[in-house]
């Protein structure tokens, strides 16, 4: 299906979903979903690293991508994770030696970790899978730093990519991380002087660069973001700081206080989110979003789908227990839930189906096939796909 859509719309102008009409059930399949360039590249390099280094320890700094199945497969082939997603150490750093190979994941890593490994003569560059779209954010941050702007990073503070971006950004300029609009509003209180420096150090603890001085470092700001944030939220945060600077310094002085740059979302995030907006225009009964529960980009697709549909965020078809019971992840509360009677008693049942950038397409296939199994009178996949 993806190949067919690509061939018929190679300039990516049509973000409308594909309707797969099985009769008793219909699927609205997102125009863009699943693996992005960065993830495909990282997986390919990881398997190559294993192949080329038989008999050596091959480590991954943290999860390759936020997908349980892919990570489990890599582990079963011998890759060892040094830390987990939030930085918890699995393998002590002192265990690493110069015969070992370390793969840097698509999110990139901090300068501190990179230096530590290089100092130990560990091979890190050969299998560095840092996505070029993440490096683009670092380059933007560097440019802002050189122009003496403080870099406001819109991202999830604990996410590997944001930690890596913060490290690179902080090496070139004053930097601070905001997680969402509420955080941005709090930070603005230090721009306007409504709150004190002491309050800043407490409120933004662990999220500002060394020697950050809120009284001096919030006079000129620019915004970059984690590549997988919600586009509209980053835009709103950038607009908010722009307005804050206009109010404080006047419109004519804006350039001296605010770097008006575009967001640093990657193409995959944009394509997946634009496709999700098109899904919202359908009259579906429910949405099923497939992806890792710690995946940032998937959580934003879920957030969008929730605006219009009962939405079930699942990491594999195994979460669908029966036609009447589904286990799914509530990412707001970060916990698993069970819902009953999730498939309405009507015909046709209309289901939005999509996945995040770290989800293999086979998982989406398996979810669709499992759901199809609850509609015994539906057309076969061959019949439906023959139209494409
Ligand atoms: S989601 Fe974007 S930035 Fe992240 S790996 Fe994929 S293409 Fe690269």
């Amino acid at each position: 299906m993806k190949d067919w859509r690509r061939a018929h719309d190679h300039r990516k102008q049509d973000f409308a979903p594909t309707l797969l009409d099985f009769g008793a059930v219909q699927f609205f399949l997102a125009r863009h979903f699943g693996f992005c360039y960065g993830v495909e590249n990282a997986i390919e390099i990881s398997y190559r690293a294993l192949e080329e280094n038989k008999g050596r320890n091959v480590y991954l700094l943290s999860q390759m991508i936020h997908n349980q199945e892919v990570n489990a497969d890599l582990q079963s082939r011998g890759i060892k994770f040094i830390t987990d997603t939030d930085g918890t150490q699995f393998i002590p750093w002192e265990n690493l030696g110069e015969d070992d190979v370390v793969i840097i994941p698509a999110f990139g890593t901090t300068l501190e970790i990179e230096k530590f490994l290089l100092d130990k003569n560990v091979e890190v560059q050969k299998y560095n899978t840092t996505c070029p779209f993440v490096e683009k954010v670092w380059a933007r941050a560097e440019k802002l730093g050189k122009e003496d702007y403080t870099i406001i990073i819109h991202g999830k503070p604990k996410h590997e990519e944001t930690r890596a971006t913060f490290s690179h950004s902080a090496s070139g300029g004053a930097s601070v991380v905001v997680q969402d609009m509420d955080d941005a509003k709090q930070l603005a209180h230090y721009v306007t002087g409504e709150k004190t420096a002491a309050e800043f150090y407490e409120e933004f603890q662990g999220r500002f660069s060394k020697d950050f001085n809120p009284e001096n470092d919030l006079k000129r700001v620019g915004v970059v973001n984690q590549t997988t944030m919600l586009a509209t939220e980053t835009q709103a945060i950038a607009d908010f700081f722009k307005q804050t600077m206009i109010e404080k310094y006047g419109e004519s002085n804006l350039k001296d206080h605010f770097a008006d740059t575009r967001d640093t979302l990657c193409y995959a995030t944009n394509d997946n989110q634009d496709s999700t907006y098109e899904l919202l225009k359908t009259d579906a009964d429910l949405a099923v979003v497939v992806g890792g529960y710690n995946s940032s980009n998937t959580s934003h697709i879920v957030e969008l789908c929730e605006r219009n549909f009962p939405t079930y965020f699942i990491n594999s078809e195994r979460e669908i227990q029966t036609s009447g019971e589904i286990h799914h992840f509530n990412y707001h509360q970060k916990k698993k839930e069970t819902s009953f009677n999730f498939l309405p008693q009507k015909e046709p049942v209309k289901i939005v189906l999509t996945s995040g950038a770290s989800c293999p397409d086979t998982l989406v296939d398996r979810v669709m096939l499992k759901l199809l199994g609850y509609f015994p009178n539906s057309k076969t996949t061959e019949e439906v796909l023959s139209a494409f």
Side-chain angles (χ1 to χ4, degrees), residues 34-42 64-65 105-107 129-135 137 159 161 226-228 264-270 272 297 356-358:
F35 276 2
C36 56
Y37 163 77
V39 165
E40 274 181 1
N41 179 54
M64 168 55 30
I65 55 169
F107 316 114
T129 76
T130 306
C131 179
F133 295 100
V134 174
E135 287 173 334
V137 185
H159 192 285
E161 183 192 315
Q226 188 180 319
T227 56
T228 51
T264 50
L265 296 162
C266 70
Y267 84 94
T269 297
N270 279 319
N272 286 355
N297 75 86
S358 48

mmCIF file of all heavy atoms in Angstrom, residues 34-42 64-65 105-107 129-135 137 159 161 226-228 264-270 272 297 356-358, ligand 1:
data_model
loop_
_atom_site.group_PDB
_atom_site.id
_atom_site.type_symbol
_atom_site.label_atom_id
_atom_site.label_comp_id
_atom_site.label_asym_id
_atom_site.label_seq_id
_atom_site.Cartn_x
_atom_site.Cartn_y
_atom_site.Cartn_z
ATOM 1 N N GLY A 34 4.775 5.024 10.348
ATOM 2 C CA GLY A 34 5.847 4.037 10.485
ATOM 3 C C GLY A 34 7.247 4.587 10.303
ATOM 4 O O GLY A 34 7.469 5.804 10.322
ATOM 5 N N PHE A 35 8.176 3.649 10.098
ATOM 6 C CA PHE A 35 9.605 3.950 10.084
ATOM 7 C C PHE A 35 9.965 5.193 9.263
ATOM 8 O O PHE A 35 9.513 5.375 8.137
ATOM 9 C CB PHE A 35 10.380 2.778 9.480
ATOM 10 C CG PHE A 35 10.696 1.688 10.480
ATOM 11 C CD1 PHE A 35 10.266 1.776 11.793
ATOM 12 C CD2 PHE A 35 11.437 0.588 10.097
ATOM 13 C CE1 PHE A 35 10.563 0.787 12.714
ATOM 14 C CE2 PHE A 35 11.739 -0.417 11.003
ATOM 15 C CZ PHE A 35 11.301 -0.316 12.317
ATOM 16 N N CYS A 36 10.851 5.989 9.871
ATOM 17 C CA CYS A 36 11.371 7.162 9.172
ATOM 18 C C CYS A 36 12.784 6.841 8.691
ATOM 19 O O CYS A 36 13.348 5.797 9.037
ATOM 20 C CB CYS A 36 11.419 8.334 10.148
ATOM 21 S SG CYS A 36 12.404 7.928 11.600
ATOM 22 N N TYR A 37 13.371 7.781 7.975
ATOM 23 C CA TYR A 37 14.724 7.576 7.463
ATOM 24 C C TYR A 37 15.709 7.267 8.601
ATOM 25 O O TYR A 37 16.492 6.323 8.537
ATOM 26 C CB TYR A 37 15.200 8.828 6.689
ATOM 27 C CG TYR A 37 16.693 8.816 6.522
ATOM 28 C CD1 TYR A 37 17.285 8.002 5.559
ATOM 29 C CD2 TYR A 37 17.515 9.534 7.398
ATOM 30 C CE1 TYR A 37 18.664 7.930 5.460
ATOM 31 C CE2 TYR A 37 18.886 9.464 7.303
ATOM 32 C CZ TYR A 37 19.449 8.657 6.328
ATOM 33 O OH TYR A 37 20.802 8.568 6.250
ATOM 34 N N GLY A 38 15.653 8.084 9.663
ATOM 35 C CA GLY A 38 16.623 7.965 10.749
ATOM 36 C C GLY A 38 16.569 6.603 11.429
ATOM 37 O O GLY A 38 17.603 6.024 11.776
ATOM 38 N N VAL A 39 15.373 6.100 11.598
ATOM 39 C CA VAL A 39 15.207 4.809 12.274
ATOM 40 C C VAL A 39 15.678 3.675 11.358
ATOM 41 O O VAL A 39 16.402 2.767 11.796
ATOM 42 C CB VAL A 39 13.727 4.637 12.700
ATOM 43 C CG1 VAL A 39 13.435 3.194 13.058
ATOM 44 C CG2 VAL A 39 13.424 5.549 13.884
ATOM 45 N N GLU A 40 15.290 3.730 10.093
ATOM 46 C CA GLU A 40 15.730 2.671 9.154
ATOM 47 C C GLU A 40 17.248 2.617 9.092
ATOM 48 O O GLU A 40 17.865 1.563 9.128
ATOM 49 C CB GLU A 40 15.164 2.935 7.760
ATOM 50 C CG GLU A 40 13.780 2.354 7.622
ATOM 51 C CD GLU A 40 13.167 2.571 6.253
ATOM 52 O OE1 GLU A 40 13.819 3.158 5.385
ATOM 53 O OE2 GLU A 40 12.017 2.139 6.086
ATOM 54 N N ASN A 41 17.840 3.800 9.009
ATOM 55 C CA ASN A 41 19.289 3.902 8.918
ATOM 56 C C ASN A 41 19.952 3.328 10.177
ATOM 57 O O ASN A 41 20.912 2.551 10.114
ATOM 58 C CB ASN A 41 19.639 5.397 8.751
ATOM 59 C CG ASN A 41 21.110 5.653 8.672
ATOM 60 O OD1 ASN A 41 21.798 5.064 7.840
ATOM 61 N ND2 ASN A 41 21.617 6.516 9.542
ATOM 62 N N ALA A 42 19.408 3.676 11.333
ATOM 63 C CA ALA A 42 19.988 3.223 12.601
ATOM 64 C C ALA A 42 19.884 1.700 12.729
ATOM 65 O O ALA A 42 20.834 1.040 13.183
ATOM 66 C CB ALA A 42 19.274 3.906 13.769
ATOM 67 N N MET A 64 17.790 1.613 20.860
ATOM 68 C CA MET A 64 18.049 2.049 19.491
ATOM 69 C C MET A 64 16.972 3.024 19.040
ATOM 70 O O MET A 64 17.220 4.108 18.546
ATOM 71 C CB MET A 64 18.069 0.801 18.604
ATOM 72 C CG MET A 64 18.033 0.989 17.136
ATOM 73 S SD MET A 64 19.261 2.016 16.385
ATOM 74 C CE MET A 64 20.712 1.964 17.274
ATOM 75 N N ILE A 65 15.742 2.605 19.250
ATOM 76 C CA ILE A 65 14.579 3.428 18.951
ATOM 77 C C ILE A 65 13.561 3.082 20.024
ATOM 78 O O ILE A 65 13.761 2.121 20.766
ATOM 79 C CB ILE A 65 13.994 3.113 17.546
ATOM 80 C CG1 ILE A 65 13.682 1.617 17.432
ATOM 81 C CG2 ILE A 65 14.922 3.560 16.462
ATOM 82 C CD1 ILE A 65 12.873 1.280 16.210
ATOM 83 N N PRO A 105 22.754 5.825 19.241
ATOM 84 C CA PRO A 105 21.427 5.689 18.627
ATOM 85 C C PRO A 105 21.016 6.899 17.783
ATOM 86 O O PRO A 105 21.703 7.924 17.778
ATOM 87 C CB PRO A 105 20.493 5.518 19.830
ATOM 88 C CG PRO A 105 21.222 6.085 20.990
ATOM 89 C CD PRO A 105 22.695 5.993 20.696
ATOM 90 N N ALA A 106 19.889 6.758 17.106
ATOM 91 C CA ALA A 106 19.408 7.820 16.212
ATOM 92 C C ALA A 106 19.203 9.141 16.944
ATOM 93 O O ALA A 106 19.331 10.210 16.351
ATOM 94 C CB ALA A 106 18.097 7.385 15.553
ATOM 95 N N PHE A 107 18.908 9.092 18.236
ATOM 96 C CA PHE A 107 18.696 10.328 19.007
ATOM 97 C C PHE A 107 19.986 11.120 19.190
ATOM 98 O O PHE A 107 19.960 12.264 19.630
ATOM 99 C CB PHE A 107 18.222 10.017 20.439
ATOM 100 C CG PHE A 107 17.165 8.976 20.538
ATOM 101 C CD1 PHE A 107 17.414 7.752 21.150
ATOM 102 C CD2 PHE A 107 15.895 9.215 20.049
ATOM 103 C CE1 PHE A 107 16.434 6.794 21.264
ATOM 104 C CE2 PHE A 107 14.907 8.263 20.157
ATOM 105 C CZ PHE A 107 15.173 7.043 20.762
ATOM 106 N N THR A 129 24.842 6.386 14.657
ATOM 107 C CA THR A 129 23.619 6.432 13.828
ATOM 108 C C THR A 129 22.811 7.711 14.078
ATOM 109 O O THR A 129 21.633 7.765 13.726
ATOM 110 C CB THR A 129 22.729 5.184 14.079
ATOM 111 O OG1 THR A 129 22.047 5.335 15.326
ATOM 112 C CG2 THR A 129 23.527 3.899 14.091
ATOM 113 N N THR A 130 23.439 8.701 14.688
ATOM 114 C CA THR A 130 22.705 9.954 14.947
ATOM 115 C C THR A 130 22.012 10.444 13.669
ATOM 116 O O THR A 130 22.649 10.585 12.617
ATOM 117 C CB THR A 130 23.672 11.068 15.432
ATOM 118 O OG1 THR A 130 24.402 10.571 16.541
ATOM 119 C CG2 THR A 130 22.908 12.312 15.836
ATOM 120 N N CYS A 131 20.726 10.684 13.790
ATOM 121 C CA CYS A 131 19.957 11.086 12.603
ATOM 122 C C CYS A 131 20.391 12.479 12.143
ATOM 123 O O CYS A 131 20.542 13.396 12.966
ATOM 124 C CB CYS A 131 18.474 11.092 12.958
ATOM 125 S SG CYS A 131 17.458 11.602 11.581
ATOM 126 N N PRO A 132 20.551 12.669 10.840
ATOM 127 C CA PRO A 132 20.944 14.008 10.361
ATOM 128 C C PRO A 132 19.946 15.096 10.732
ATOM 129 O O PRO A 132 20.320 16.262 10.861
ATOM 130 C CB PRO A 132 21.004 13.836 8.836
ATOM 131 C CG PRO A 132 20.527 12.466 8.528
ATOM 132 C CD PRO A 132 20.488 11.666 9.793
ATOM 133 N N PHE A 133 18.690 14.702 10.948
ATOM 134 C CA PHE A 133 17.697 15.732 11.324
ATOM 135 C C PHE A 133 17.897 16.185 12.772
ATOM 136 O O PHE A 133 17.510 17.292 13.134
ATOM 137 C CB PHE A 133 16.272 15.208 11.102
ATOM 138 C CG PHE A 133 15.994 14.959 9.649
ATOM 139 C CD1 PHE A 133 16.063 13.675 9.119
ATOM 140 C CD2 PHE A 133 15.702 16.008 8.795
ATOM 141 C CE1 PHE A 133 15.836 13.439 7.771
ATOM 142 C CE2 PHE A 133 15.478 15.793 7.449
ATOM 143 C CZ PHE A 133 15.549 14.502 6.927
ATOM 144 N N VAL A 134 18.492 15.318 13.587
ATOM 145 C CA VAL A 134 18.833 15.720 14.961
ATOM 146 C C VAL A 134 20.069 16.630 14.897
ATOM 147 O O VAL A 134 20.129 17.668 15.560
ATOM 148 C CB VAL A 134 19.097 14.477 15.847
ATOM 149 C CG1 VAL A 134 19.594 14.897 17.227
ATOM 150 C CG2 VAL A 134 17.836 13.621 15.971
ATOM 151 N N GLU A 135 21.020 16.257 14.034
ATOM 152 C CA GLU A 135 22.224 17.091 13.902
ATOM 153 C C GLU A 135 21.872 18.493 13.396
ATOM 154 O O GLU A 135 22.530 19.472 13.729
ATOM 155 C CB GLU A 135 23.230 16.417 12.959
ATOM 156 C CG GLU A 135 23.890 15.222 13.643
ATOM 157 C CD GLU A 135 24.774 14.405 12.729
ATOM 158 O OE1 GLU A 135 24.535 14.412 11.510
ATOM 159 O OE2 GLU A 135 25.695 13.734 13.242
ATOM 160 N N VAL A 137 19.274 20.137 14.252
ATOM 161 C CA VAL A 137 18.852 20.916 15.427
ATOM 162 C C VAL A 137 20.093 21.434 16.162
ATOM 163 O O VAL A 137 20.142 22.593 16.580
ATOM 164 C CB VAL A 137 18.015 20.046 16.402
ATOM 165 C CG1 VAL A 137 17.488 20.901 17.558
ATOM 166 C CG2 VAL A 137 16.860 19.366 15.680
ATOM 167 N N HIS A 159 14.077 12.866 27.636
ATOM 168 C CA HIS A 159 14.209 12.125 26.377
ATOM 169 C C HIS A 159 15.666 12.185 25.902
ATOM 170 O O HIS A 159 16.309 13.239 25.976
ATOM 171 C CB HIS A 159 13.284 12.755 25.338
ATOM 172 C CG HIS A 159 13.113 11.943 24.098
ATOM 173 N ND1 HIS A 159 14.094 11.857 23.139
ATOM 174 C CD2 HIS A 159 12.099 11.176 23.658
ATOM 175 C CE1 HIS A 159 13.664 11.085 22.147
ATOM 176 N NE2 HIS A 159 12.458 10.646 22.447
ATOM 177 N N GLU A 161 17.010 12.355 23.037
ATOM 178 C CA GLU A 161 17.330 13.363 22.019
ATOM 179 C C GLU A 161 17.449 14.746 22.646
ATOM 180 O O GLU A 161 18.363 15.511 22.319
ATOM 181 C CB GLU A 161 16.257 13.371 20.916
ATOM 182 C CG GLU A 161 16.600 14.348 19.814
ATOM 183 C CD GLU A 161 15.448 14.610 18.864
ATOM 184 O OE1 GLU A 161 14.773 13.637 18.442
ATOM 185 O OE2 GLU A 161 15.217 15.792 18.555
ATOM 186 N N GLN A 226 12.884 19.477 20.034
ATOM 187 C CA GLN A 226 13.073 18.048 19.798
ATOM 188 C C GLN A 226 12.344 17.762 18.497
ATOM 189 O O GLN A 226 11.258 18.306 18.261
ATOM 190 C CB GLN A 226 12.446 17.294 20.978
ATOM 191 C CG GLN A 226 12.700 15.810 21.006
ATOM 192 C CD GLN A 226 12.011 15.176 22.228
ATOM 193 O OE1 GLN A 226 12.021 15.729 23.310
ATOM 194 N NE2 GLN A 226 11.428 14.027 22.019
ATOM 195 N N THR A 227 12.914 16.912 17.661
ATOM 196 C CA THR A 227 12.363 16.728 16.312
ATOM 197 C C THR A 227 10.975 16.112 16.273
ATOM 198 O O THR A 227 10.337 16.104 15.227
ATOM 199 C CB THR A 227 13.290 15.809 15.497
ATOM 200 O OG1 THR A 227 13.440 14.596 16.234
ATOM 201 C CG2 THR A 227 14.633 16.432 15.229
ATOM 202 N N THR A 228 10.530 15.568 17.404
ATOM 203 C CA THR A 228 9.264 14.816 17.374
ATOM 204 C C THR A 228 8.160 15.469 18.188
ATOM 205 O O THR A 228 7.196 14.811 18.552
ATOM 206 C CB THR A 228 9.501 13.390 17.913
ATOM 207 O OG1 THR A 228 10.181 13.503 19.170
ATOM 208 C CG2 THR A 228 10.330 12.564 16.965
ATOM 209 N N THR A 264 12.321 23.072 14.380
ATOM 210 C CA THR A 264 13.317 22.084 13.950
ATOM 211 C C THR A 264 12.725 20.670 13.972
ATOM 212 O O THR A 264 13.418 19.700 14.244
ATOM 213 C CB THR A 264 14.566 22.151 14.852
ATOM 214 O OG1 THR A 264 14.158 22.118 16.226
ATOM 215 C CG2 THR A 264 15.374 23.413 14.611
ATOM 216 N N LEU A 265 11.430 20.582 13.690
ATOM 217 C CA LEU A 265 10.815 19.253 13.586
ATOM 218 C C LEU A 265 11.377 18.563 12.355
ATOM 219 O O LEU A 265 11.746 19.222 11.389
ATOM 220 C CB LEU A 265 9.292 19.394 13.424
ATOM 221 C CG LEU A 265 8.579 20.020 14.624
ATOM 222 C CD1 LEU A 265 7.212 20.514 14.210
ATOM 223 C CD2 LEU A 265 8.472 19.017 15.756
ATOM 224 N N CYS A 266 11.411 17.238 12.364
ATOM 225 C CA CYS A 266 11.930 16.555 11.178
ATOM 226 C C CYS A 266 10.789 16.284 10.201
ATOM 227 O O CYS A 266 9.610 16.384 10.545
ATOM 228 C CB CYS A 266 12.630 15.261 11.571
ATOM 229 S SG CYS A 266 11.499 14.005 12.140
ATOM 230 N N TYR A 267 11.173 15.895 8.980
ATOM 231 C CA TYR A 267 10.165 15.679 7.934
ATOM 232 C C TYR A 267 9.160 14.583 8.343
ATOM 233 O O TYR A 267 7.970 14.653 8.054
ATOM 234 C CB TYR A 267 10.867 15.287 6.610
ATOM 235 C CG TYR A 267 11.164 13.810 6.552
ATOM 236 C CD1 TYR A 267 10.276 12.936 5.937
ATOM 237 C CD2 TYR A 267 12.271 13.270 7.199
ATOM 238 C CE1 TYR A 267 10.504 11.570 5.943
ATOM 239 C CE2 TYR A 267 12.505 11.926 7.213
ATOM 240 C CZ TYR A 267 11.622 11.076 6.588
ATOM 241 O OH TYR A 267 11.825 9.724 6.632
ATOM 242 N N ALA A 268 9.671 13.546 9.056
ATOM 243 C CA ALA A 268 8.799 12.416 9.393
ATOM 244 C C ALA A 268 7.721 12.851 10.378
ATOM 245 O O ALA A 268 6.549 12.478 10.248
ATOM 246 C CB ALA A 268 9.631 11.283 9.992
ATOM 247 N N THR A 269 8.115 13.670 11.348
ATOM 248 C CA THR A 269 7.137 14.180 12.312
ATOM 249 C C THR A 269 6.099 15.016 11.584
ATOM 250 O O THR A 269 4.892 14.875 11.805
ATOM 251 C CB THR A 269 7.864 15.032 13.386
ATOM 252 O OG1 THR A 269 8.762 14.164 14.072
ATOM 253 C CG2 THR A 269 6.898 15.661 14.350
ATOM 254 N N ASN A 270 6.563 15.884 10.700
ATOM 255 C CA ASN A 270 5.623 16.720 9.957
ATOM 256 C C ASN A 270 4.677 15.879 9.102
ATOM 257 O O ASN A 270 3.473 16.083 9.105
ATOM 258 C CB ASN A 270 6.383 17.713 9.077
ATOM 259 C CG ASN A 270 6.837 18.912 9.890
ATOM 260 O OD1 ASN A 270 6.096 19.409 10.737
ATOM 261 N ND2 ASN A 270 8.052 19.362 9.668
ATOM 262 N N ASN A 272 3.864 12.693 9.386
ATOM 263 C CA ASN A 272 2.948 11.879 10.185
ATOM 264 C C ASN A 272 1.860 12.736 10.833
ATOM 265 O O ASN A 272 0.698 12.331 10.896
ATOM 266 C CB ASN A 272 3.715 11.088 11.260
ATOM 267 C CG ASN A 272 4.490 9.918 10.645
ATOM 268 O OD1 ASN A 272 4.380 9.650 9.458
ATOM 269 N ND2 ASN A 272 5.267 9.236 11.458
ATOM 270 N N ASN A 297 7.069 10.733 19.263
ATOM 271 C CA ASN A 297 6.270 11.090 18.080
ATOM 272 C C ASN A 297 4.938 10.346 18.062
ATOM 273 O O ASN A 297 3.918 10.875 17.646
ATOM 274 C CB ASN A 297 7.079 10.885 16.805
ATOM 275 C CG ASN A 297 7.215 9.433 16.426
ATOM 276 O OD1 ASN A 297 6.344 8.891 15.755
ATOM 277 N ND2 ASN A 297 8.272 8.767 16.857
ATOM 278 N N GLY A 356 3.647 5.180 14.747
ATOM 279 C CA GLY A 356 4.711 6.172 14.924
ATOM 280 C C GLY A 356 5.961 5.824 14.129
ATOM 281 O O GLY A 356 6.060 4.753 13.509
ATOM 282 N N ALA A 357 6.934 6.730 14.175
ATOM 283 C CA ALA A 357 8.143 6.600 13.348
ATOM 284 C C ALA A 357 9.056 5.454 13.780
ATOM 285 O O ALA A 357 9.975 5.084 13.057
ATOM 286 C CB ALA A 357 8.930 7.914 13.372
ATOM 287 N N SER A 358 8.831 4.882 14.964
ATOM 288 C CA SER A 358 9.687 3.780 15.404
ATOM 289 C C SER A 358 8.959 2.441 15.353
ATOM 290 O O SER A 358 9.364 1.484 16.006
ATOM 291 C CB SER A 358 10.204 4.061 16.815
ATOM 292 O OG SER A 358 9.150 4.458 17.650
HETATM 293 S S1 LIG B 1 11.851 10.813 13.945
HETATM 294 FE FE1 LIG B 1 12.897 12.315 12.615
HETATM 295 S S2 LIG B 1 14.712 12.969 13.748
HETATM 296 FE FE2 LIG B 1 13.964 11.079 14.720
HETATM 297 S S3 LIG B 1 15.102 9.463 13.714
HETATM 298 FE FE3 LIG B 1 13.232 9.728 12.545
HETATM 299 S S4 LIG B 1 13.747 11.163 10.865
HETATM 300 FE FE4 LIG B 1 15.346 11.287 12.434
#
